[in-house]
Amino acid sequence: MNVTTKAIVVHSLRYGEADLIITLFTKTSGLRSYLQRGVLKSKKGKIRSSFFQPLMLLEIEAFHKNKGTLERIKEVKVGTHYKTLHTNLIKSSLVFFIADILKNAIQEEEENTELFNYLETAILWLDSNDGIANFHITFLIKLTQYLGFFPDTSTMEYAYFNLQEGVFQPSETNLYCQSGLAVSKLKEFLGTTFEASMTIGLSKSTRSELLSMLLVYFELHLHGFKKPKSLSVLSEIFK
């Protein structure tokens, strides 16, 4: 079946001498993997390896067999030419972190337009703004809304956050209940915009603690989720 769709690059892997296996999150067909033969040696071809950097926004025409096998891209063009995303060191580190998150968090080979639109909006916001110290925190919290485990905000007056259940409660009931400054800061982030969240004050230790808590939250709610390998880089950058 021929498909024309927007797509976000999640991951690419060298295969053999000149081939790439590319994982894209497409607007019409969810997560798909493609085998592009000869793309690493082709300097004059229409499809170039530079198209498949992490989080590139593309427009593709592809052939989908819909059999769970590797698909084939027929044509591709860059949907948006970024201004800063792959040239700014801090933003590039965030790009790899987010791509790692998406590689582990998204698994469905089906249309999820709301999730795609959120990711596109978030990526373009990151490309266009300079104050980004809290971006990855806000990104993860908002992402839970589209993956189905956004925290229940109806009892936010309580001190403990139960990561296993995704609720705030008055006392500790299991090993995954947390309280303290990180939980207080989490409450500040819930329901905010990207712009507003950048004004939330976080020390290096609190930002690190909140990020660790969120990653445990993802592990508890997404089967097979693993902490990103790029996590240590973020710890060095956001001091």
Side-chain angles (χ1 to χ4, degrees):
M1 178 176 70
N2 284 320
V3 175
T4 301
T5 180
K6 286 185 173 183
I8 297 169
V9 179
V10 175
H11 183 64
S12 62
L13 177 69
R14 183 174 187 142
Y15 183 72
E17 286 292 317
D19 304 338
L20 272 182
I21 295 175
I22 305 143
T23 302
L24 304 179
F25 182 59
T26 69
K27 189 168 186 176
T28 61
S29 307
L31 196 71
R32 297 288 173 134
S33 291
Y34 302 84
L35 176 61
Q36 290 305 115
R37 295 197 178 278
V39 70
L40 293 176
K41 286 188 176 180
S42 175
K43 295 182 179 179
K44 297 182 180 180
K46 291 182 178 180
I47 299 178
R48 299 191 295 273
S49 59
S50 59
F51 291 163
F52 304 113
Q53 297 178 71
L55 301 192
M56 286 290 287
L57 286 167
L58 306 175
E59 295 176 11
I60 67 167
E61 182 182 344
F63 183 75
H64 288 178
K65 296 178 182 177
N66 295 319
K67 295 181 179 180
T69 55
L70 293 171
E71 314 287 16
R72 180 170 58 87
I73 297 172
K74 297 169 65 178
E75 292 189 25
V76 59
K77 65 178 181 179
V78 176
T80 299
H81 291 275
Y82 295 133
K83 294 174 276 187
T84 62
L85 219 56
H86 291 121
T87 56
N88 179 293
L89 176 61
I90 295 175
K91 291 185 180 184
S92 294
S93 300
L94 284 168
V95 162
F96 281 103
F97 175 78
I98 292 165
D100 275 350
I101 291 289
L102 298 181
K103 182 174 66 174
N104 285 305
I106 302 174
Q107 299 170 352
E108 297 80 9
E109 290 188 356
E110 59 187 37
E111 181 179 348
N112 190 336
T113 303
E114 288 187 354
L115 174 56
F116 185 92
N117 290 341
Y118 164 65
L119 295 176
E120 182 178 34
T121 299
I123 293 165
L124 292 175
W125 190 95
L126 179 61
D127 184 48
S128 302
N129 288 270
D130 295 324
I132 57 171
N134 292 337
F135 177 84
H136 51 307
I137 302 293
T138 310
F139 176 84
L140 290 176
I141 293 171
K142 287 183 175 295
L143 183 60
T144 65
Q145 186 172 348
Y146 299 93
L147 297 179
F149 55 98
F150 188 75
D152 183 349
T153 59
S154 63
T155 56
M156 282 210 305
E157 69 273 16
Y158 294 132
Y160 286 87
F161 181 55
N162 184 333
L163 279 73
Q164 200 165 49
E165 302 297 331
V167 298
F168 295 93
Q169 56 192 47
S171 59
E172 188 175 0
T173 56
N174 61 42
L175 293 173
Y176 296 106
C177 289
Q178 293 197 25
S179 63
L181 186 55
V183 172
S184 297
K185 290 297 182 181
L186 170 64
K187 294 176 182 180
E188 291 186 43
F189 278 92
L190 294 175
T192 61
T193 62
F194 276 108
E195 290 81 1
S197 70
M198 298 307 143
T199 66
I200 298 173
L202 290 175
S203 65
K204 178 190 175 183
S205 59
T206 303
R207 183 180 286 110
S208 178
E209 184 182 352
L210 178 52
L211 179 58
S212 295
M213 183 175 72
L214 287 170
L215 292 175
V216 171
Y217 189 49
F218 271 69
E219 286 181 292
L220 288 171
H221 291 270
L222 293 174
H223 178 71
F225 182 84
K226 298 176 182 178
K227 290 182 180 177
K229 295 178 181 178
S230 52
L231 181 59
S232 58
V233 178
L234 286 191
S235 300
E236 288 299 315
I237 289 176
F238 293 108
K239 292 184 177 180

